[in-house]
Amino acid sequence: MQMRKLGSQGLEVPAIGLGCMGMSDFYSGRNEAEAVTAIHRAIDLGVSLLDTADMYGPFTNETLIGKAIAGRRDRVVIATKFGVQRSGDGGFLGVRGDAAYIREACDASLKRLGVEHIDLYYQHRVDPQTPIGETIGAMAELVRAGKVRFLGLSEASPATIRRAHAVHPISALQTEYSLWSRDPEAAILSTVRELGIGFVAYSPLGRGFLTGQIRRIEDLAADDYRRYSPRFQAGNFQKNLDLVSEVETMARKKGCTPAQFALAWLLARGEDIVPIPGTTKPARLEENLGALDVRLTSDDIARIDRILPPGAASGGRYDEAQMQSLNR
């Protein structure tokens, strides 16, 4: 497995990690046994970075990962997040980043995961009501207490990243980044690179859209949240499908699948970028890892920039309300 460094504090992870959210939430067809099998296969293949959050499930995804890594703790890097509050029935209660909440959230995550420390602890969304200094200060206390090894932020603005990094070194920023979500290229990537912070790309396959496996909205189950995502709505769906057709054409010329092409593009953006595609199927996991063998030329990159420039995707990443929580 190719390895990459996140930040300059010593955190090393595989070039491709595993996003575990869909194993417990938001997507349909969830099966715990299948998910555990996928995690075990990932570990065997060297995909040791497992990404979760306390709000996935809610709360059940961390428990699932805890079961899956029992007896394998020394072979994995666990990344989890706090900050997005949810009730037991799944309702969203807002964002919190105050010190008391962070200490409580960390202890709860440690218990659900069944571990003594979290390798990479992210603030899931920035709390506009709490100074970032207080939030990072509380997270730094967890590092000193041995409960957390490295700190991260998710969907934070350049100004917030700078203020946070000044309080305690930030090892990774996790933000959506893919062929159809190139927003980080405007200011985020240059900021984290200046500060020596690694970049973890979530939804690197456009929530599955870039794989070419979704041809109609009816391909998604009735309870799949993507049915309500702006980019999957009727008018946007076909426009985005046309973009995927271009990706499929380029992938065929490279002798790879669309998913491998999309991941190879991300990997080529820099040695400091680590995508975390999610799947519950070992075959898809192995397909994704094939991206490590795909080499894109300067001509390939130039064609992508012509066909899929920043802003090419039709529709927002989230609905209007959720977009308000980004780039704070």
Side-chain angles (χ1 to χ4, degrees), residues 22-34:
M23 297 175 178
S24 304
D25 212 349
F26 300 110
Y27 297 159
S28 62
R30 296 181 292 276
N31 181 293
E32 183 173 298
E34 184 180 68

Side-chain angles (χ1 to χ4, degrees), residues 242-258:
D242 292 341
L243 295 177
V244 171
S245 294
E246 297 286 354
V247 175
E248 291 173 321
T249 298
M250 289 184 279
R252 279 194 296 271
K253 291 182 178 180
K254 300 299 292 187
C256 64
T257 67

Side-chain angles (χ1 to χ4, degrees), residues 203-249:
S203 292
L205 298 177
R207 296 174 177 80
F209 204 93
L210 293 171
T211 66
Q213 301 298 309
I214 303 171
R215 313 305 299 187
R216 307 174 305 149
I217 194 65
E218 290 77 18
D219 291 337
L220 302 175
D223 62 344
D224 192 309
Y225 96 103
R226 289 173 291 184
R227 279 179 170 263
Y228 309 100
S229 174
R231 290 185 178 173
F232 288 79
Q233 298 305 304
N236 298 328
F237 191 96
Q238 185 57 52
K239 293 178 182 177
N240 291 327
L241 197 59
D242 292 341
L243 295 177
V244 171
S245 294
E246 297 286 354
V247 175
E248 291 173 321
T249 298

Side-chain angles (χ1 to χ4, degrees), residues 4-7 9 11-14 17-20 49-56 62 77-85 95-98 101-103 105-106 109 112-113 117-127 132 135-136 138-140 142-143 147-156 161 164 168-176 192 197-203 272-276:
R4 294 190 167 188
K5 293 180 179 179
L6 290 178
Q9 292 74 50
L11 178 58
E12 192 172 34
V13 300
L18 178 62
C20 299
L49 174 61
L50 305 179
D51 184 88
T52 183
D54 57 4
M55 62 89 78
Y56 299 158
E62 288 181 327
V77 174
I78 297 175
T80 192
K81 315 174 196 71
F82 73 89
V84 179
Q85 283 190 293
V95 175
R96 279 185 66 180
D98 57 279
Y101 178 75
I102 292 169
R103 289 190 289 268
C106 181
S109 287
R112 285 189 291 267
L113 290 163
H117 69 269
I118 294 163
D119 296 301
L120 177 57
Y121 201 37
Y122 292 101
Q123 181 183 22
H124 206 159
R125 292 290 186 271
V126 174
D127 176 5
I132 193 65
T135 298
I136 302 302
M139 295 171 72
L142 298 176
V143 175
K147 295 181 178 182
V148 170
R149 293 179 62 215
F150 302 97
L151 302 186
L153 296 172
S154 180
E155 294 285 4
I161 295 168
H168 186 281
I170 302 299
S171 297
L173 174 76
Q174 182 174 143
T175 292
E176 185 172 353
V192 296
I197 298 171
F199 189 99
V200 175
Y202 77 82
S203 292
D272 54 351
I273 295 176
V274 175
I276 50 169

Side-chain angles (χ1 to χ4, degrees), residues 312-323:
S314 183
R317 290 202 276 140
Y318 295 100
D319 63 31
E320 188 173 341
Q322 289 176 295
M323 289 296 291

